[in-house]
Amino acid sequence: MRDVNNGWLIRYIHANVASFFFICVYAHIGRGFYYGSYKSPRVLVWSIGVIILILMMANNHWPNCEYNFLNTVIISKMLPFNKARTKAIYRIGPHNKEILDVIICGMLGDFWADLIPGNILNSVRFQIEQSIINTAYIHYLTLYFYGLGYCSRPIPILVKKQHKNIENSFNYRLTLFTFTSLTWIYDAFYYKVKGETIKKIPLFISEYLTPIGLAHWIMQDGSYMKGQGISIATNSFTYEECKYLALLINQKFNLITSVVKTGQVNQWRISIWKRSMPELLNIVNPYFIPEMWYKLNGRNI
């Protein structure tokens, strides 16, 4: 009901149709009693009907009493969807729209994807690293994905990084399970030129750039510019792609945006103007964790 679009409707339709099925069965039996269908010469037909009724009741009621046990003990051992050893081909979804918003907007930010070749189908694995300063965010994000069955552990992994100026540099890394059902995201974000993999903006990005997606994008790649507004790093994308994203933010959220240079060759960032900060706070505040408010100049509503 919670993880599938309109799941509540599907479940209640199924439940009520099943109930009406039994109502029809009981009405049929009642008609038989009323017209004496159990009397000679129809005793054999009536007896067969009673046997069918008993078998139907046994098939539909008794197993359902045990269904949760069978599902958790037997089926989960056969297909443990939230276990690392499960084959990616069995993780078919369906995927909640919100989780797709977070992953896809995360790909605009600090997420990256690895394509895993398979014997039958290729699969994709999404990962993200955050520095120690964003410890609260990466732990929050890991718990979020873990609660929905997208990773194997509730805490991220601490990984040592090579840094020429810092002897012991560490990041936190979150690695999601591999999925064959999400390779379309990889295909939309990456293409190859002369053997080099290059990141691009997918054509469907407008559909997934939602308030929760924007909030996670800012928590990953946003920074407050003193006396100005919010700057979002977009170093992986071309100037034209950055202009498209800036225009999309303007059109979807009515925020004033521009594309500015970073000081590095062919690298740009998107600026959300100071005048739009009140509107931006209204949009992203429900999804921001308190420890990340420093990216909004420590402000929250």
Side-chain angles (χ1 to χ4, degrees):
M1 290 178 67
R2 292 174 296 197
D3 294 337
V4 180
N5 291 335
N6 298 317
W8 61 272
L9 180 62
I10 296 171
R11 180 181 179 184
Y12 287 133
I13 289 175
H14 174 72
N16 284 284
V17 168
S19 298
F20 273 102
F21 171 76
F22 281 99
I23 290 174
C24 293
V25 170
Y26 297 145
H28 177 72
I29 295 171
R31 186 195 64 172
F33 277 116
Y34 182 80
Y35 287 106
S37 298
Y38 53 89
K39 298 179 180 178
S40 179
R42 294 186 292 271
V43 176
L44 178 62
V45 176
W46 177 264
S47 301
I48 293 173
V50 171
I51 294 172
I52 293 174
L53 173 66
I54 293 172
L55 292 174
M56 183 193 70
M57 298 289 285
N59 183 59
N60 286 279
H61 286 283
W62 177 79
N64 283 345
C65 295
E66 305 294 328
Y67 178 76
N68 288 334
F69 171 78
L70 293 173
N71 181 59
T72 56
V73 176
I74 300 176
I75 298 177
S76 63
K77 287 184 178 297
M78 294 169 59
L79 298 174
F81 296 107
N82 62 339
K83 303 297 183 183
R85 65 180 180 272
T86 301
K87 293 182 178 180
I89 197 171
Y90 295 136
R91 298 195 185 101
I92 60 175
H95 301 284
N96 187 295
K97 174 62 166 54
E98 182 180 289
I99 205 83
L100 295 177
D101 295 342
V102 175
I103 292 174
I104 291 173
C105 286
M107 289 291 290
L108 297 176
D110 291 338
F111 269 89
W112 75 88
D114 297 311
L115 191 66
I116 313 298
N119 295 327
I120 302 175
L121 293 173
N122 293 335
S123 59
V124 65
R125 179 177 58 215
F126 298 97
Q127 299 185 79
I128 180 176
E129 284 189 12
Q130 295 286 283
S131 62
I132 298 298
I133 193 174
N134 291 335
T135 296
Y137 173 68
I138 192 68
H139 276 79
Y140 162 79
L141 193 64
T142 303
L143 279 173
Y144 172 79
F145 281 110
Y146 178 78
L148 294 174
Y150 280 76
C151 60
S152 61
R153 45 185 290 153
I155 57 174
I157 298 173
L158 192 65
V159 294
K160 189 172 183 179
K161 308 297 291 185
Q162 296 294 329
H163 198 288
K164 61 181 180 180
N165 297 324
I166 303 176
E167 183 177 350
N168 292 314
S169 178
F170 293 91
N171 280 0
Y172 278 109
R173 178 185 296 170
L174 163 62
T175 302
L176 303 187
F177 289 137
T178 55
F179 291 88
T180 57
S181 54
L182 294 178
T183 53
W184 58 276
I185 299 178
Y186 179 93
D187 294 336
F189 268 99
Y190 295 105
Y191 68 101
K192 286 186 177 292
V193 176
K194 297 180 180 179
E196 181 182 359
T197 302
I198 299 176
K199 207 173 188 181
K200 63 178 179 177
I201 301 297
L203 298 176
F204 54 67
I205 192 63
S206 175
E207 182 180 351
Y208 297 95
L209 186 56
T210 58
I212 188 173
L214 180 62
H216 279 274
W217 187 16
I218 293 175
M219 283 191 282
Q220 293 172 26
D221 262 352
S223 59
Y224 176 74
M225 308 298 290
K226 188 174 181 180
Q228 302 178 40
I230 296 295
S231 175
I232 306 176
T234 49
N235 299 341
S236 299
F237 307 118
T238 65
Y239 175 70
E240 288 73 21
E241 289 175 322
C242 292
K243 283 179 60 179
Y244 172 69
L245 287 174
L247 179 62
L248 196 59
I249 293 172
N250 173 259
Q251 292 176 342
K252 293 201 69 170
F253 305 111
N254 197 30
L255 303 174
I256 303 173
T257 60
S258 60
V259 178
V260 297
K261 294 181 178 180
T262 64
Q264 302 293 325
V265 178
N266 294 327
Q267 290 191 356
W268 313 87
R269 65 175 183 265
I270 296 173
S271 176
I272 300 177
W273 290 21
K274 183 179 180 179
R275 275 188 285 169
S276 292
M277 285 302 296
E279 290 85 356
L280 177 63
L281 291 171
N282 280 323
I283 293 167
V284 303
N285 188 73
Y287 311 104
F288 250 74
I289 63 172
E291 293 83 355
M292 301 304 290
W293 284 335
Y294 77 92
K295 296 206 171 189
L296 303 174
N297 195 24
R299 301 161 62 185
N300 69 304
I301 300 174

